[in-house]
Amino acid sequence: MAAAAPPPPPTPAPEPAMILPEKAPVGHPLFTRIRLATVSDVPHIHKLIHQMAIFERLTHLFSATESSLSSTLFSPSSHPFHSFTIFLLETSSNPFTPSPFDSNPFYTPSLKVLNLDLPIHDPERETFKCQHDDDVCVAGFVLFFPNYSSFLGKPGFYVEDLFVRECYRRKGLGRMLLSAVAKQAVKMGYGRVEWVVLDWNANAIRFYEEMGAKVLQEWKICRLTGEALQAYGGSD
């Protein structure tokens, strides 16, 4: 009977450089934070709204100034979620460090890490860089305020603006912003979140439908503005 073959020699241990740390990031990590905007964010908010007007082909209707945004969005009498509210979306290539935003009594910032296949090239990074941290820049925002449903007998939120800068799109950031509004509505016992979408924006319509939103075809927006609105200023 032939003798058993000797066991194979042990596999040499990999060199230290070959060993990956247990929690090595996959791809290119993008650190995100959603927080309440403050009056100091108005310059960035103004630029974002202007970019949104360009995207929606409505620059002829854009007349907002930093001054008008400051006085109306952040007046002393306004309180988050009970008046005009803005969630700001910030991104960083490094984890966010503790900041005064963490102790905001109205909203604790929401943090999330996205692992992307490719790094993001942001040609406007210097323009949207945050004053409180050079590594942080503003990527988008959502502006919303309370409304009311008499059918439900409950308040809700109306989303006036939802915008993500071009280089950050198609990465789930718009969904994160809208989800933050929906979570706040649930937390406050509100009955719904609603918004409008331009009929030519097929990508946005598909995105909203995939989130479970109903796009109401039978409703039309009625609006009084400009001279038509001013005509009622002196009427009896």
Side-chain angles (χ1 to χ4, degrees):
M1 184 174 180
T11 303
E15 296 294 329
M18 298 172 57
I19 302 176
L20 294 176
E22 292 184 5
K23 296 183 179 180
V26 179
H28 299 269
L30 180 70
F31 297 87
T32 69
R33 175 171 66 188
I34 294 176
R35 63 168 176 85
L36 279 175
T38 67
V39 67
S40 64
D41 297 310
V42 164
H44 285 147
I45 294 170
H46 184 258
K47 294 183 183 73
L48 288 169
I49 295 174
H50 183 253
Q51 286 195 356
M52 182 174 62
I54 294 173
F55 174 76
E56 294 183 348
R57 310 167 193 172
L58 296 172
T59 52
H60 59 288
L61 300 178
F62 179 79
S63 61
T65 64
E66 290 186 18
S67 177
S68 65
L69 293 175
S70 296
S71 61
T72 53
L73 293 176
F74 300 99
S75 67
S77 61
S78 63
H79 299 283
F81 311 126
H82 297 283
S83 181
F84 311 116
T85 304
I86 292 180
F87 280 152
L88 211 61
L89 172 66
E90 297 175 320
T91 64
S92 174
S93 57
N94 295 299
F96 286 90
T97 57
S99 72
F101 303 120
D102 300 333
S103 57
N104 188 297
F106 297 103
Y107 185 77
T108 301
S110 172
L111 303 175
K112 187 174 182 179
V113 184
L114 304 178
N115 288 312
L116 308 178
D117 294 333
L118 297 172
I120 292 178
H121 172 63
D122 185 353
E124 298 178 300
R125 186 181 182 282
E126 289 299 314
T127 300
F128 286 93
K129 186 168 61 176
C130 294
Q131 295 178 354
H132 54 271
D133 192 332
D134 286 347
D135 191 50
V136 177
C137 67
V138 175
F141 80 111
V142 58
L143 188 160
F144 58 102
F145 48 85
N147 63 3
Y148 191 81
S149 168
S150 56
F151 282 15
L152 296 177
K154 290 183 178 182
F157 282 137
Y158 180 79
V159 176
E160 175 69 16
D161 297 323
L162 174 66
F163 183 74
V164 175
R165 293 201 288 121
E166 185 175 3
C167 62
Y168 291 99
R169 292 174 194 161
R170 293 171 291 279
K171 295 171 176 60
L173 300 180
R175 179 186 293 267
M176 288 168 52
L177 280 168
L178 197 53
S179 295
V181 178
K183 288 178 181 177
Q184 186 64 32
V186 171
K187 180 180 179 180
M188 298 176 67
Y190 283 11
R192 69 185 184 191
V193 174
E194 61 182 356
W195 60 95
V196 298
V197 60
L198 294 168
D199 58 1
W200 55 261
N201 196 342
N203 289 336
I205 292 172
R206 183 167 58 251
F207 161 65
Y208 295 141
E209 289 177 334
E210 289 173 353
M211 286 193 68
K214 295 181 179 179
V215 180
L216 305 178
Q217 304 292 339
E218 65 272 24
W219 291 82
K220 299 291 185 181
I221 298 173
C222 301
R223 176 178 293 167
L224 277 175
T225 188
E227 293 181 1
L229 177 61
Q230 294 301 320
Y232 288 89
S235 63
D236 296 329

